[in-house]
Amino acid sequence: MTPNPITASLEIAAERGGDLTGAVYGVLFAQHPHLQAFFCNDTDGSVRGEMLAQFFEAILDMAGGDYYGSALIRSLAVNHDGLGVAPDVFPLFADAVQAAVREVLGPLFVPEIERAWQDMVGRVHALAAASVCA
Ligand code: HEM
């Protein structure tokens, strides 16, 4: 079975770039320096690593049958709102992951993959926004 574009892009990224953690947070903090302060206690990077791992888990599921991925994003949005991370910050993170994948894939980041990522960033944003009272 052909994998969907999100799964395919992450498989290629894993083969080519290995661990994407440095690239993702590099993009996120370069584009939104104020977000760095949220991680002042994450001295060993374990929170950032776990966040990215759960993000991948959620979107890989959402790109397939969506058995629990959307629910995971919704519950994390509620939990993060309590930490002071507003739902509007979720698409910034998703977008930074997209940018890191795009960089690793280069010309293999074809329009079909780009469309799937843009759709996924939108879904993550909509789920987060719908989970938290304005
Ligand atoms: C879809 C996006 C996100 C997912 C899936 C996610 C997931 C997670 C998970 C699983 C943890 C617990 C990690 C652990 O304790 O080992 C966590 C903690 C945390 N996340 Fe996120 N996160 C997301 C977005 C964000 C964003 C955008 C920010 C802020 C820029 C953020 C800031 C934090 C902080 C500060 C903690 C540590 C909380 C604490 O000290 O207990 N997260 N996140």
Side-chain angles (χ1 to χ4, degrees), residues 38-39 47 50-51 54-55 76 80 83 85 89-90 93:
F38 280 110
F39 300 94
V47 168
E50 183 59 23
M51 268 182 44
Q54 288 231 14
F55 179 75
L76 285 165
H80 278 63
L83 297 169
V85 179
V89 185
F90 273 60
F93 181 71

Side-chain angles (χ1 to χ4, degrees), residues 58-84:
I59 66 165
L60 284 169
D61 184 67
M62 287 166 67
D66 197 9
Y67 301 105
Y68 63 90
S70 288
L72 183 55
I73 296 290
R74 277 197 293 267
S75 74
L76 285 165
V78 172
N79 154 307
H80 278 63
D81 194 48
L83 297 169

